[in-house]
Amino acid sequence: MAYLHPVLRFIYFCLRIFAWLSNHLFYRHRRVLGREHLRDFHGPAIVVTNHPSTLMDVLNVGLPVPKIMFFLANYGLFKNPVSRWVLTRLYCIPVKRKEDVEAGDSRNNDSAFEQSFQHLEKQGILFIAPEGYSYMNRWVREFKTGTARIACGTESRNNWQLGMKIYPVGLSYSAANLFRSDVVINFGAPVEVGPWAAAWQKHRAQAVDALTAELQQRVTELTIHTRDEAGELLITRLEEIADNAHPLLPVEKFRRGQQLAQRYLDQTDLHSQVDDYFQTLQSTGLQDKGLAETQRRTGSLSNFWTAFVLTLGSPLFLLGYTFWWLPCFIPWLINKKLNLYIGYGSTIKIVIGALVFPLWLWGAYRLIRHFSASSGLAFFILTLLIVLAFFTELYQDEFRQFREKLKAAFFAKKEPAAWNELLNKRAEILAAIAI
């Protein structure tokens, strides 16, 4: 795309570096699947995805794509003159949705379509979230027809000779708005637009609807599609039980989540079993993790050893927690005070964190340097404090797990009948999902 200004290309490159660093720090596990579909990636192309986490979706999809992408963005983001100036220079094209149209105004996206046509005709890449809205849940909503209209419209203007492809992507977050959560970015095989020429020429509206349905199906297959609120609750709970019973690496865990959604959403008896089990857990103050830990053959010696290690590591944990508490708290607090839609939480935390964390580390370095009179020693201590952040995270996980195990063991001795009932309910669910 030689027509892009070199300065803007440089800014885009710098933003990619920032996004790469911030995303790998924000997410505990970030996995990209289907990279083989990007080996021959070139324009003209459209990248489509589900939309669970507003601006983070753009970053997560854009990072593995080896080319500069333009983005169709909702018109509301362009109302502020400052944001409009920034976004238009970061390759964003405003699109009006129904709720963006004010009284007395008309909903006209001709300019957005024309910009998209021209960009694709110049071998460009376009990012579109066809759901039109960002939803925190994991099921894929109905796609708008804009992607198909842009793709077929561009090809039609060029006698179907462009060779355009549409790349479907599925985004699956463990908790889209939380720091140190997980995300899987799943690229699928591209859909070639050329074969839709005959359908377009015969009946445009039907061709657009058919291609839109095809794209929605492709993206759905690349996600953990939970269908609705009830399905979301069921699969989340089944994942929790399965993960506690048989932990897997992030990619295998994602695949298991897909299988659970595909197999068990329609089993009403299982819905009732799981709901009853978690209601019982809530009434007893226990968590499934605690029950799972008591079922592992570890014995009292293992409990003693875990307690010993946690006690031994507690000074390091307290040091790490004390040092990192404030820079972690500030982004959370600012996000809470802004009180925006929850989907923007991840983006706000990353942006604020990008300011707070470097300043915090710089201040710590200057303070240590002042008292140590050695820049080398100050740098070494600062490196240890960064490593300590990851130790603190692991320590918290281990402590919470051990705490829940002790609570479950205490309950088992105090209420043996209720405990056995809980174990039986859990065993029935694990047997039903073959875990």
Side-chain angles (χ1 to χ4, degrees), residues 34 70 140 161 187 204 206 272 327 330 357 360 370 419 422 427:
F70 276 45
V140 179
Q161 298 300 310
F187 285 82
R204 291 189 179 186
Q206 290 181 3
S272 300
I330 291 173
F357 277 72
W360 184 258
H370 174 74
W419 171 254
L422 261 177

Side-chain angles (χ1 to χ4, degrees), residues 44-46 120 150-152 154-155 162-166 191-194:
I46 300 176
L120 292 168
I150 289 172
C152 291
T154 308
E155 280 285 10
L162 290 178
M164 187 186 306
K165 295 179 180 179
I166 303 176
V191 177
E192 295 186 3
V193 180

Side-chain angles (χ1 to χ4, degrees), residues 128-139:
I128 302 177
E131 289 172 304
Y133 305 87
S134 179
Y135 301 94
M136 295 292 288
N137 310 100
R138 291 186 290 178
W139 68 89

Side-chain angles (χ1 to χ4, degrees), residues 2 17 105 143 155 213 260 395:
I17 295 176
D105 195 6
F143 276 16
E155 280 285 10
L260 290 172
Y395 184 97

Side-chain angles (χ1 to χ4, degrees), residues 227-228 230-231 234-235 237-238 260-261 263-277 429 432-433:
R227 289 208 305 229
D228 52 29
L234 173 68
I235 300 305
R237 287 172 165 178
L238 289 180
L260 290 172
R263 295 177 182 176
Y264 302 112
L265 284 174
D266 293 320
Q267 295 194 12
T268 54
D269 290 343
L270 185 59
H271 276 260
S272 300
Q273 280 182 285
V274 173
D275 190 52
D276 178 56
Y277 172 65
I429 294 171
I433 59 177

Side-chain angles (χ1 to χ4, degrees), residues 7 46 52 54 76 87 102 131 139 143 154 158 161 195 204 218 278 312 319 337 377 395 423:
V7 174
I46 300 176
T54 58
L87 292 172
E102 298 177 355
E131 289 172 304
W139 68 89
F143 276 16
T154 308
N158 293 272
Q161 298 300 310
R204 291 189 179 186
R218 294 286 193 99
F278 274 87
L312 199 65
L319 176 62
K337 293 296 183 181
L377 179 60
Y395 184 97
L423 290 181

